Amino acid sequence: QVQLVESGGGLVQAGGSLRLSCAASRSVSGFNAMGWYRQAPGKQRELVASRTLGGSTNYADSVKGRFTISRDNAKNTVYLQMNSLKPEDTAVYYCNARMRINIARIDDYWGQGTQVTVSS
């Protein structure tokens, strides 16, 4: 069973920065992709940033140029550096790890979430 533990959330003023961490219970290089999602009250969970095993990254338009996803294989940890934060970035942020088991099956693993609150 894979466990993902997020940390680094908190309260920050608009324009500030936070770095989220996601520590995995196994080597992150074993996942086909890892990413960060967020869910604001009353809204659906949305993709914020993802990174494939090959290093390709994908960002939501709303965070491009402000957020950066990275990975430290030695620490089995994925990070989300968030700069120039805006009140609309306020949400619970979830770490996701995706593993393709076979051609017909993909397993998704989720962390418990960490709250990010940006005050105006």
Side-chain angles (χ1 to χ4, degrees), residues 61-96:
D61 288 342
S62 60
V63 307
K64 283 181 180 177
R66 299 189 297 124
F67 290 11
T68 303
I69 187 170
S70 62
R71 185 179 78 187
D72 186 333
N73 290 342
K75 295 183 178 180
N76 294 337
T77 300
V78 173
Y79 302 98
L80 184 68
Q81 179 66 44
M82 306 186 294
N83 298 328
S84 303
L85 283 162
K86 304 175 181 180
E88 50 263 45
D89 293 319
T90 295
V92 178
Y93 284 70
Y94 297 91
C95 179
N96 167 267

Side-chain angles (χ1 to χ4, degrees), residues 19-61:
R19 188 177 77 158
L20 305 183
S21 300
C22 172
S25 59
R26 55 160 292 172
S27 173
V28 296
S29 60
F31 299 115
N32 295 91
M34 294 192 72
W36 290 92
Y37 289 71
R38 67 186 181 188
Q39 188 167 19
K43 295 187 177 181
Q44 290 189 332
R45 189 173 297 190
E46 64 174 356
L47 174 68
V48 176
S50 64
R51 186 183 189 280
T52 68
L53 183 61
S56 298
T57 57
N58 183 42
Y59 295 93
D61 288 342

